[in-house]
């Protein structure tokens, strides 16, 4: 049986996978789900999308010739920014391999440096909805349940056509919340 995954479902799977390996972030998300305004949950969704964007590349055609650090990029050129590589650049995100939702409490995601939905005027129209949906689903789960900790190093991604998803389907153990 072939399983179909949507990008929000993949984001939630990655978020669960990250939270089981980061108990301090899981505790902060659970507290925010019960008593907060959703700010930490939103930051956790943003950090998940920074680390594991479901669509790891975006494609754009150049509408006007421009200079890119001394390289002439002619009109009509197809550019494909590597989202994962940008999101893991230490000049943009200190300690980029560390799952740290607090970075988005300290500073809002950059329009052109956090691009899981593309960027600028061509940003995905559903971005706001997807962020809200992921936050609300995780909030609903964490009000009733929690994830059992998993000390393993983490799950690698697996490309499924253009979309990347957890290679082992982000299997987690759910427990009743305290």
């Amino acid at each position: 049986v072939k399983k179909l995954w949507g990008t929000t479902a993949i984001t939630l799977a990655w978020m669960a996978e990250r939270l089981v390996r980061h108990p301090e972030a899981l505790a902060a998300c659970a507290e925010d789900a019960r008593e907060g305004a959703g700010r930490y949950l939103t930051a956790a969704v943003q950090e998940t999308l920074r680390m594991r964007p479901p669509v790891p590349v975006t494609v754009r055609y150049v509408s006007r010739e421009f200079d890119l650090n001394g390289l002439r990029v002619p009109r009509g050129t197809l550019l494909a920014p590597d989202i994962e590589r940008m999101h893991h650049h230490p000049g943009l995100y200190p300690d980029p391999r560390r799952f740290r939702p607090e970075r988005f409490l300290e500073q809002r995601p950059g329009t052109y440096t956090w691009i899981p939905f593309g960027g600028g005027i061509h940003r995905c129209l559903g971005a706001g909805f997807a962020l809200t949906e992921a936050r609300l689903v995780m909030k609903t789960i964490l009000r009733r349940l929690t994830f059992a900790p998993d000390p393993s190093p983490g799950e690698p991604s697996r490309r499924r056509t253009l979309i990347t998803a957890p290679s082992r389907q982000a299997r987690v153990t759910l427990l009743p919340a305290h």
Side-chain angles (χ1 to χ4, degrees), residues 28-38 139 143:
C29 282
E31 181 180 340
D32 194 24
R34 288 188 308 272
E35 302 166 15
K139 180 178 184 172
R143 280 185 164 175

Side-chain angles (χ1 to χ4, degrees), residues 3-11 13-14 49 52-58 83-84 116 156-167:
K3 296 179 182 175
L4 299 176
W5 291 50
T7 53
T8 302
I10 291 170
T11 298
W14 277 127
L49 287 165
R52 303 288 194 175
V55 180
V57 67
T58 186
I83 295 170
E84 287 179 312
S157 61
R158 178 174 153 213
R159 190 163 301 244
R160 300 168 186 256
T161 65
L162 182 61
I163 295 176
T164 59
S167 63

Side-chain angles (χ1 to χ4, degrees), residues 9 15 18-19 22-24 41 53 70-71 83 89 103 111 115 122 126 130 148 153 158 160 165:
M15 189 171 175
R18 293 288 73 205
L19 290 175
H22 297 86
E24 66 292 339
L41 279 162
L71 175 68
I83 295 170
H89 191 287
R103 76 177 79 236
T111 302
I115 58 168
H122 297 288
R158 178 174 153 213
R160 300 168 186 256

Side-chain angles (χ1 to χ4, degrees), residues 37-96:
R39 193 163 174 253
Y40 193 90
L41 279 162
T42 298
V45 173
Q46 291 167 328
E47 178 70 344
T48 299
L49 287 165
R50 183 193 68 80
M51 292 192 79
R52 303 288 194 175
V55 180
V57 67
T58 186
V59 179
R60 298 289 183 261
Y61 281 102
V62 174
S63 61
R64 277 192 317 251
E65 180 178 310
F66 71 97
D67 180 81
L68 178 65
N69 295 328
L71 175 68
R72 185 184 71 79
V73 181
R75 180 176 176 265
T77 300
L78 182 67
L79 294 179
D82 184 332
I83 295 170
E84 287 179 312
R85 185 165 285 163
M86 176 186 278
H87 286 178
H88 287 94
H89 191 287
L92 298 173
Y93 295 99
D95 201 5

